[in-house]
Structure formats: structure tokens, C-alpha cells
Amino acid sequence: MERKEHIISIMVYNKPDVLARVAGTLGGKGYNIDSLSVNTTTQKDISKIVMTTVGTQATIQRIEGQLSRILDVISVDDLTNVESVHREMLMVRVNLTDENTETVKNTIDAHKWRVIVSGDTYVVLEITGDQPQIEFALARLEPFGIADITRTGLIALKLDD
């Protein structure tokens, strides 16, 4: 069976320790979480966890079963093969030098990346997109000298119910 990345959306009651129980359930069974994003929904007592993991379809079905057994889990959906929108946000601090400042600015303008803050020796960018766009941005900026990055992890939204 083919192993591939899966995007799993988990609706949970917004209570202390729910995220720890979700992560502990998966880790305890030997499943790895590659990215994780959690926040409340429009209903403050309900949170949505979006995680990515790699596995076969059978593995993902086992994960869904394990998660569904957790008391505060409302629903578990694999968004991998359903119509959904996926995004990630990257904040990256790029070193500026006398030699690269103009090229960095031109690159930022060409790709319409958002400058959050800049100084004499650095610029901090906010870049959003799907995973290939984020990877492209990192590859494009790496030659200039990336000082630091932080990523949100993948978020996903199902387009229909």
C-alpha cells in the first residue's frame, strides 16, 4: 500500500488536556505528527485540530479509529481526498548585506511577499501558500542567508459538507 501525507481535521471540545490526549494517543501507538495547528472555532467551546501525518490508507483508518475513541473528540475527517483548501504561513528573517539588499527587495516584490518588519541588516517576511509555494519561497530565499524561520503547519478547510 502507498504511504502518503494525509491531512486530518479533528473537532474537539475545547478543554484542558484534550490536545495532550490526542497527541499522546498517536505517539503511544507509534504514529508521527508532521504538522499541527489548533484553534477555537466560531463556537468557543469547540476547537479544530488540523494535523498531517504520513501513512497508508489502512494506517489512517486506524488513526481515525483511535482518535474517535477519545471522549472529547467530536469528529475526525481525513481531508486528503476531499475538496478542501490547504495553506501554511511562514515567517522568515533574511539577512541583508550591501551585496544582496537590492536583489532581496526585487525578489520580495516579484513574489508579492509581505514585509512585516525590516532593519538595516534584516527583513522579516510573511509568506502564505500551499506547501509547494512555501518550499519554493524557502529555496528562493536560502541563498540570501535565512537567519530564522517559523511555520504554522498546514491548515485546511473543507469546501462543502
Side-chain angles (χ1 to χ4, degrees):
M1 294 185 110
E2 179 187 1
R3 290 177 47 87
K4 68 176 190 175
E5 182 179 72
H6 286 261
I7 304 159
I8 300 174
S9 176
I10 311 157
M11 300 296 283
V12 298
Y13 290 108
N14 187 12
K15 295 181 179 177
D17 200 39
V18 173
L19 178 60
R21 281 186 280 134
V22 167
T25 296
L26 297 177
K29 300 288 184 188
Y31 303 122
N32 189 47
I33 298 172
D34 293 321
S35 79
L36 185 68
S37 177
V38 184
N39 213 323
T40 56
T41 64
T42 56
Q43 299 174 33
K44 297 299 179 196
D45 60 332
I46 297 176
S47 290
K48 182 186 285 188
I49 300 171
V50 177
M51 59 170 259
T52 60
T53 190
V54 175
T56 65
Q57 191 60 46
T59 299
I60 299 307
Q61 288 172 341
R62 284 193 299 275
I63 288 172
E64 289 175 314
Q66 291 290 326
L67 293 173
S68 295
R69 289 186 195 104
I70 298 172
L71 182 61
D72 290 311
V73 169
I74 300 165
S75 65
V76 180
D77 293 304
D78 184 353
L79 301 182
T80 308
N81 297 316
V82 299
E83 194 171 5
S84 57
V85 179
H86 312 148
R87 289 291 180 269
E88 184 175 350
M89 184 179 78
L90 166 73
M91 283 196 328
V92 57
R93 188 174 71 238
V94 178
N95 294 326
L96 296 178
T97 64
D98 292 338
E99 296 78 27
N100 76 4
T101 298
E102 194 63 34
T103 307
V104 169
K105 288 180 180 180
N106 290 339
T107 302
I108 293 167
D109 291 343
H111 296 288
K112 297 180 174 60
W113 293 329
R114 184 169 178 229
V115 175
I116 302 298
V117 65
S118 62
D120 293 339
T121 60
Y122 66 90
V123 62
V124 176
L125 306 173
E126 174 187 309
I127 301 168
T128 58
D130 58 23
Q131 285 179 315
Q133 291 168 322
I134 296 299
E135 295 302 328
F136 169 83
L138 286 170
R140 187 72 177 94
L141 293 169
E142 197 273 331
F144 301 126
I146 294 176
D148 198 8
I149 68 167
T150 190
R151 297 169 77 161
T152 59
L154 191 72
I155 58 172
L157 187 65
K158 190 174 174 181
L159 293 180
D160 60 10
D161 283 329

